[in-house]
Amino acid sequence: MSVVENDEIRHRGRGRPPIRSDEATLRLILDAASEEFRAEGYAATGIAAVARRAGVSTRTLYRLVPTKAELFRQVIRRRIGDFVLAMDALETGVDDVAAGLERLLIAYATFSLGPEVVAVHRLVLGECGHFPELGQAFYEGAVQKAGHLIAVWLQRQCRRGLIKLDDTRLAADMLRGMMILEPQRAAMLGQAEAPDAAQITRRAKACAKLFLEGCLV
């Protein structure tokens, strides 16, 4: 496994054993970048500041992530990974389509309405006019990815004969809007706190019921 030459290693001395892999160092970098982007915005975030927060050298950071745009893309990719894992586990032990859909919507809302995603969404809307790569990274890495995962789940339910849909991607988009649009908009505009777990669960049950009453076989 390869290792990085970072500030901590240099402080310990070159004769000491290396203590961190590239994978672990990249996690630190992405954590630091997420915090910097949310605190300072995209334009004002500097690579040197991210490196300092992560405790690595700028050379190490540039070796692992060559540009600030790529750094932002990887922050988005890592965050959507939590939703991907939730979707991968969704089918386990769930035979009832209503229960499965409720779990899906809870996972999606928990991801989309989390403080980090709300903050990044606000950042993208505020700065994508000057940095179009932000809009592209967020749309492709988060919005489209989430829509695709939900559409694939709906396709599985169609193949099981539990629901019937002509366009699963369109249905996925409708489900996403029904579940998070209003709470997300209120949170982004500072008009309400993001819903807590109990509120998300209640909304998921209502959305699942409303959706399934229109497409149950």
Side-chain angles (χ1 to χ4, degrees), residues 75-120:
V75 167
I76 298 301
R77 191 178 305 131
R78 185 185 183 199
R79 194 64 189 86
I80 191 70
D82 294 340
F83 181 58
V84 173
L85 291 175
M87 291 297 294
D88 286 344
L90 189 60
E91 294 291 343
T92 305
V94 178
D95 294 324
D96 178 72
V97 67
L101 184 56
E102 288 172 17
R103 283 178 52 181
L104 181 156
L105 292 173
I106 290 169
Y108 178 62
T110 301
F111 160 71
S112 300
L113 299 173
E116 183 179 350
V117 174
V118 169
V120 170

Side-chain angles (χ1 to χ4, degrees), residues 2-190:
S2 61
V3 296
V4 299
E5 178 182 284
N6 59 37
D7 294 337
E8 186 176 352
I9 292 174
R10 287 202 301 276
H11 292 158
R12 288 165 58 91
R14 293 180 182 276
R16 301 291 184 86
I19 60 173
R20 187 182 298 144
S21 67
D22 279 359
E23 182 181 1
T25 301
L26 182 58
R27 286 197 297 269
L28 290 176
I29 290 170
L30 295 182
D31 285 341
S34 177
E35 292 171 5
E36 284 290 325
F37 284 137
R38 284 181 284 143
E40 305 297 334
Y42 183 80
T45 292
I47 292 297
V50 174
R52 281 194 302 272
R53 187 186 285 265
V56 304
S57 67
T58 53
R59 184 173 71 173
T60 292
L61 193 153
Y62 276 121
R63 180 172 65 81
L64 295 174
V65 190
T67 67
K68 186 163 75 167
E70 177 59 22
L71 188 60
F72 186 80
R73 277 192 291 272
Q74 291 208 31
V75 167
I76 298 301
R77 191 178 305 131
R78 185 185 183 199
R79 194 64 189 86
I80 191 70
D82 294 340
F83 181 58
V84 173
L85 291 175
M87 291 297 294
D88 286 344
L90 189 60
E91 294 291 343
T92 305
V94 178
D95 294 324
D96 178 72
V97 67
L101 184 56
E102 288 172 17
R103 283 178 52 181
L104 181 156
L105 292 173
I106 290 169
Y108 178 62
T110 301
F111 160 71
S112 300
L113 299 173
E116 183 179 350
V117 174
V118 169
V120 170
H121 199 168
R122 188 183 291 123
L123 180 157
V124 170
L125 291 177
E127 299 194 50
C128 66
H130 295 292
F131 302 98
E133 63 269 24
L134 298 184
Q136 181 181 12
F138 190 78
Y139 186 71
E140 292 178 355
V143 177
Q144 288 193 318
K145 179 69 172 178
H148 171 73
L149 291 170
I150 294 172
V152 167
W153 187 87
L154 291 173
Q155 288 168 8
R156 290 198 206 105
Q157 311 319 307
C158 289
R159 287 195 295 269
R160 292 171 66 194
L162 299 176
I163 60 176
K164 182 178 180 181
L165 295 166
D166 295 327
D167 188 333
T168 53
R169 185 52 194 264
L170 179 61
D173 291 345
M174 291 177 176
L175 266 172
R176 289 190 298 151
M178 181 166 55
M179 184 65 204
I180 70 151
L181 179 59
E182 195 58 34
Q184 186 184 65
R185 183 162 50 189
M188 288 179 62
L189 295 175

